[in-house]
Structures are given as C-alpha cells and as structure tokens.
Amino acid sequence: MSEAQTSFTPRVFSGIQPSGGLTLGNYLGAMRRFVQWQDRGQQEGFETIFCMVDLHAITVWQDPDALRRQTRELAAGYIASGLDPAKSILFNQSQVPEHAQLAWIFNCVARMGWMQRMTQWKDKAGKNTQNASLGLFAYPALMAADILIYHATHVPVGEDQKQHVELTRDIAAKFNHDYKVDFFPETEPVIEGAATRVMSLRDGSKKMSKSDPSDMARINMTDDADTIANKIRKARTDPDALPSEAEGLEGRAEARNLVNIYAALCDSDIASVLKDVGGRQFSEFKPMLADLAVEKLSPISSEMSRLMETPDEIDRILGLGADRARAIAAPILARTYEIVGMIKS
Ligand code: TRP
C-alpha cells in the first residue's frame, strides 16, 4: 500500500503535567473523561494512551524531589480515577526517548512565527521573553511529538490546549507536504464542554487552579472527607435561592459553578439538576453537594494515598507502560528518520 492511501486507525492520546497537586478540575475535566475514552476504546478496539509529561513540566523550574513526587502522585491519580494499566498505556514521557527525538525533527519543521503566536507562550513567558527558557518556546513542538509519535488521531484536552493541537495539525501537514508523504495524521482536538470547566470556590470567574494562593479556592484530589465538606460549606455564593432553570444562573458565576460541579459529579447536566434543586437555599444545597463530592472523591483520594505508600509499585507500572509505549513509538520514529533522510544505524 502506498503511503498516500494510508488510513489511520483511531487512537487516543493525552497528557497532564506533573507540575503540582491535582484538583477537582483535573478530575472532572481530564481524568474522568480519560476513563470514558478508555472504556470506549475497550469496546471499539482502539488504544488509549495517557502520559505524565515531565519533559513539559521542566520548561519552567521544578524542584527535582517535588517533580519525582508529583509524577508518582499523578500516576496514582490516574489509576485511582479508574485508568487501568492493563487497558490503557500509562507512562512517563521522559522514559520514552522517542518523544524528544521526534520533537527535534518538529523543531525543524515548525516556524518561529507559528510558535510566537501561541497564546500560552505569551501568557507564560510574560513581558520578559528573553529570560524564558528555549524549552518553553518549543513546548508545542514537543506536544506535537507526544501526539504524533503514536499517530494519535484524537486528543482530549481543555479549551486552553486547542491551539496547540491545531499547531500539531499544521506540523503534520507541513511535514507530509515537505516530504511528499501521508505519514502523520491530522489530529482532532476533542475539547471538553463548558460543563467540565471547574471554577475557583472563592471567585467564580477564575479557573480552579493548583497554583491559587488560597487552598480554600480548590478541592484537591488528596483532600479528605472533612476538608472537602468544609471547603464546600465555605464556598462563596450569593444570598438568593437556586433558580429552576439554567437562565436563572446568569450573572451568578459562583452559584453556576457549584451547580455545575454537582451536575458533573452525578453525570447529569445543569438543567436537570436545577429541576430537582430549584428553589432551595444554599444552606440546603451545599450539604447535598458536599455529600456527593465526598461520596465520589474520597474513594479516589484514599486509593491515591494507598498507592503512594508503595512508590516502587508505581514505578514498576510506569516502566511497563513505557515499554508498551516504546513498542508503538520506535517504528514510527524509525520511519520518520528514514523519510527525513537519516542513514540507518
Ligand atoms: N500541554 C498540555 C497541558 O498543559 C499537556 C500535554 C503535553 C498534552 N503533551 C500533550 C496534552 C499531548 C495532550 C496531548 O495541559
């Protein structure tokens, strides 16, 4: 079969940076959806691959011991959320050197102008671009390599990563065009709906973030039941009762966020939740939300702490995942080198 006729089998890839603690936002926005993809992959017979992108994390300074701990914690979070190393490939980016190798090729395909337009680069580098790392600038080329080293076709990510997945398509298209091949697929970003965007508990206009100075603004995946309940009790709201329809949440960012979290935790949507809880005061709704959050999250946080007690076991699982990932990545890198004109070793 000539390469022009290659068709790409569906394959899902996504990654999370091990650059800090995991929040409810990571769980609802990423991990829970990864588990749904894993289950679909099992039914429909496609591969699902989830990575801890430590090479991306060091584009800004990371303390080495903290990075090691956070990488294991992220792996524990993946597994505790329901990703099964027997069903999905779970691994650590730096253990599969083909990512960095393909990233170099892509550094030579991508244009400076493309990189300069990336909004994440502009945000993260800030005013002092001269002092940002070269890795931070090249970040999207490494991300393209993460995806394309597996010929992944579907990439579930948050809205903030859409531009990077589109750049991945541009890199694939330019590579295919320059070398006259149809080798890399044009990957689809699969963007999470607004429904999974979890906002701060203190300010409904800000994303729930691991870097928020106030721990009360977020629910961490490692919080115990009392902490979760307390944070929800103290969450900022307004004095009005809950509306019966979604329109009634307009201009009430904090109220909307809590209803949204409730809906996501019970796999429902805002409209159906409001049908049940419309008319209630927050004094009544918050305990309902706290119970639901504890019911869903505390098994995950206790499983995470159990897994963290045996870091060797986590490392073993990641090692096996890396072997499986390499089995896919190595032939794709070898073919890429051949296309580019590198002599075989
Ligand atoms: N840039 C992504 C983020 O910060 C993480 C990431 C790196 C990623 N490589 C990826 C996500 C490949 C999807 C696919 O969220």
Side-chain angles (χ1 to χ4, degrees), residues 66-84:
L67 180 62
R68 252 184 296 275
R69 186 175 35 74
Q70 286 159 192
T71 305
R72 292 189 180 116
E73 195 172 279
L74 176 54
Y78 273 149
I79 297 167
S81 302
L83 288 179
D84 178 346

Side-chain angles (χ1 to χ4, degrees), residues 96 98-99 149-150 324-336:
V96 179
E98 285 80 2
H99 289 243
I149 197 67
Y150 303 103
R324 288 176 61 200
R326 277 197 97 171
I328 302 175
I332 292 180
L333 183 74
R335 180 72 189 113
T336 308

Side-chain angles (χ1 to χ4, degrees), residues 13-17 53 56 120 139 143 146-147 155-157 160-161 164:
F13 180 95
S14 196
I16 300 182
Q17 295 193 48
V53 291
H56 276 109
Q120 183 176 297
Y139 180 116
M143 180 160 160
D146 296 339
I147 296 167
V155 179
V157 280
D160 62 331
Q161 294 299 313
H164 289 159

Side-chain angles (χ1 to χ4, degrees), residues 233 237-240 242 280-288:
R233 203 165 38 240
T237 47
D238 57 44
D240 297 337
L242 284 161
R280 296 192 199 219
Q281 295 293 333
F282 279 102
S283 55
E284 244 183 300
F285 178 66
K286 280 179 166 179
M288 292 170 65

Side-chain angles (χ1 to χ4, degrees), residues 16-22 52 54 57 61-77 210 304 308:
I16 300 182
Q17 295 193 48
S19 53
L22 294 169
M52 281 128 265
D54 52 357
W61 170 253
Q62 302 292 330
D63 173 77
D65 288 329
L67 180 62
R68 252 184 296 275
R69 186 175 35 74
Q70 286 159 192
T71 305
R72 292 189 180 116
E73 195 172 279
L74 176 54
K210 56 194 170 196
M304 276 177 78
M308 287 297 281

Side-chain angles (χ1 to χ4, degrees), residues 189-206:
V190 188
I191 305 299
E192 67 187 58
T196 40
R197 206 173 144 88
V198 179
M199 311 306 281
S200 155
L201 298 179
R202 312 293 322 168
D203 176 351
S205 68
K206 280 193 347 208

